[in-house]
Amino acid sequence: MRTNVVLCFLIYVMLSASRVIALTNPLYAVFMSVIWIVIYLGFYRFSIRAKLSKLLFVLLTLLNYGSFTVILVNYFSFYVFRDAAGYPYSFGSSLIYAVVLCLSYPFVYQLFHKKLNPLMEFPANTKIWKFLWLIPATFCLAYYYNLYSNGGIIVYAGSVKNVLFAVTFNAGALFVTYLVLRLVEDSNDRLRLERESYQFSLQSIQYKNLKAQMDDARRARHDLRHTVNILQTYLNDGNTKGLQNYIEQYLESLPSDSARLYSDDYTLNALLSIYEEKARKEQIRFQANIQLEGRVPLPEPDQVVLIGNLLENALEACIRQNSRDSYISFTIRREGKAVVILEDNSYDGIMKEQGKTLQSSKENHTGIGVSSIQKIVEKYNGILKFTQDDHVFQLSMILFPKN
């Protein structure tokens, strides 16, 4: 906070000096405008840990609003209330500037507070911001071209037609910005609903898994009488080797009597328990190595989508392999601020890839699960690599969460 306050004070002093210098020559004004865009962006980048594209969107939107207010202030100061404002930065022009801000800023505040701020905090849709900043940039360039090609702000504001154009132009810019933010908001809502749907699916899977275990236990109790009769037969015949083999097979057929605790993180433990049980029923070896203290440093929706899709894809690959040597090995650990995920599994040797992008190997399938994994990796500025030989697929992933 102390550093930001000092920087704001220095920037304000420098800005005041540069504005006075810009009055001496229109070319200085053009040069100063470009320099100050860079200075503002550098300050925002230093103070706010956000994507550069998001900062550009906010900065350019504010610059468009600033240009609009300056045009109005100069029009009223120099061409309407001449006696109240005889020179730039006088008390009269400052008062007019305050009035313009008071009347116009509530609309801009609502746009930023109600629409823009929630979207900035929403972690998804990082790619779309790479292009959204071009919209206010286009309006900003049009503003500056009109201002400096007509002799500067003061000369430009001397025409009522120019002022009306600025009002209309700024209203159009704000309207387009509002529509774009509304579209992004709708897109984020769809993503949020998809994640909630995935969580509900996970709960449904847990319920079905628990119900299946209860049914298995009920059948085992029902068949216990028949099992005891067979054991008695082996004992009466003195066939100890056959008895031992039967007991081993019987124990393997029994469902697990307790859920295994892989992690203190409930979501991660539930995912691993579900897919371990699925793998057991398909006679697939399942191994998980969790080297984390406490929770996985990812939001639960992202965790469910990422780990759920990884294990689902691995399980399907092992099932398609149709071999007794099928296995799944999953590891997650923390290395500094990074989260490392390693996943190995056997497969049938058929893997589709396009460049460095992994494709789904299902027939007539768009690979939504694979796409979801890649989006989460991009969201956390991660690295995703995979290798495969004839029958072993290996995936490694590094994510950089904020916490």
Side-chain angles (χ1 to χ4, degrees), residues 43-153:
F43 172 68
Y44 292 163
R45 184 67 171 172
F46 175 79
S47 300
I48 305 172
R49 298 292 183 259
K51 292 285 186 181
L52 182 62
S53 54
K54 290 184 178 182
L55 297 179
L56 272 172
F57 184 92
V58 176
L59 173 60
L60 294 170
T61 302
L62 285 174
L63 286 176
N64 291 334
Y65 169 65
S67 300
F68 165 70
T69 57
V70 169
I71 291 172
L72 286 182
V73 170
N74 280 277
Y75 172 72
F76 285 106
S77 297
F78 289 92
Y79 300 99
V80 178
F81 304 106
R82 297 184 180 182
D83 296 335
Y87 54 90
Y89 309 119
S90 65
F91 176 79
S93 62
S94 299
L95 181 61
I96 293 172
Y97 194 21
V99 172
V100 172
L101 287 178
C102 289
L103 294 176
S104 61
Y105 186 71
F107 300 99
V108 179
Y109 175 78
Q110 288 296 319
L111 177 67
F112 275 73
H113 182 68
K114 297 294 185 180
K115 291 297 179 184
L116 185 58
N117 190 46
L119 298 180
M120 290 295 176
E121 296 177 354
F122 194 79
N125 280 348
T126 54
K127 277 188 175 181
I128 196 171
W129 290 103
K130 295 180 180 179
F131 307 99
L132 284 184
W133 69 272
L134 293 172
I135 296 174
T138 303
F139 286 102
C140 190
L141 288 174
Y143 253 131
Y144 282 177
Y145 175 79
N146 278 278
L147 289 177
Y148 296 115
S149 64
N150 289 278
I153 294 178

Side-chain angles (χ1 to χ4, degrees), residues 245-309:
N245 291 335
Y246 179 80
I247 291 175
E248 290 177 355
Q249 295 177 9
Y250 179 75
L251 290 176
E252 289 180 359
S253 66
L254 289 176
S256 177
D257 58 351
S258 62
R260 183 173 177 180
L261 182 62
Y262 287 101
S263 170
D264 295 333
D265 189 310
Y266 175 80
T267 302
L268 176 61
N269 194 74
L271 285 169
L272 294 175
S273 299
I274 289 171
Y275 284 99
E276 178 198 28
E277 182 64 20
K278 287 185 175 183
R280 185 191 67 81
K281 290 182 178 181
E282 298 291 341
Q283 297 183 347
I284 299 170
R285 288 183 288 115
F286 185 92
Q287 180 182 2
N289 183 18
I290 310 303
Q291 303 174 20
L292 291 174
E293 294 182 1
R295 296 184 66 259
V296 178
L298 296 175
E300 287 191 356
D302 291 345
Q303 189 182 154
V304 170
V305 171
L306 178 64
I307 299 177
N309 277 309

Side-chain angles (χ1 to χ4, degrees), residues 179-193:
L179 288 180
V180 169
L181 295 180
R182 184 65 183 268
L183 291 174
V184 176
E185 184 182 30
D186 292 343
S187 176
N188 290 344
D189 289 341
R190 286 194 297 271
L191 287 175
R192 191 181 292 109
L193 289 174

Side-chain angles (χ1 to χ4, degrees), residues 219-234:
R219 282 192 296 268
R221 289 195 300 269
H222 180 268
D223 296 338
L224 181 60
R225 181 170 55 86
H226 304 291
T227 302
V228 171
N229 290 334
I230 294 176
L231 294 176
Q232 187 65 48
T233 301
Y234 277 113

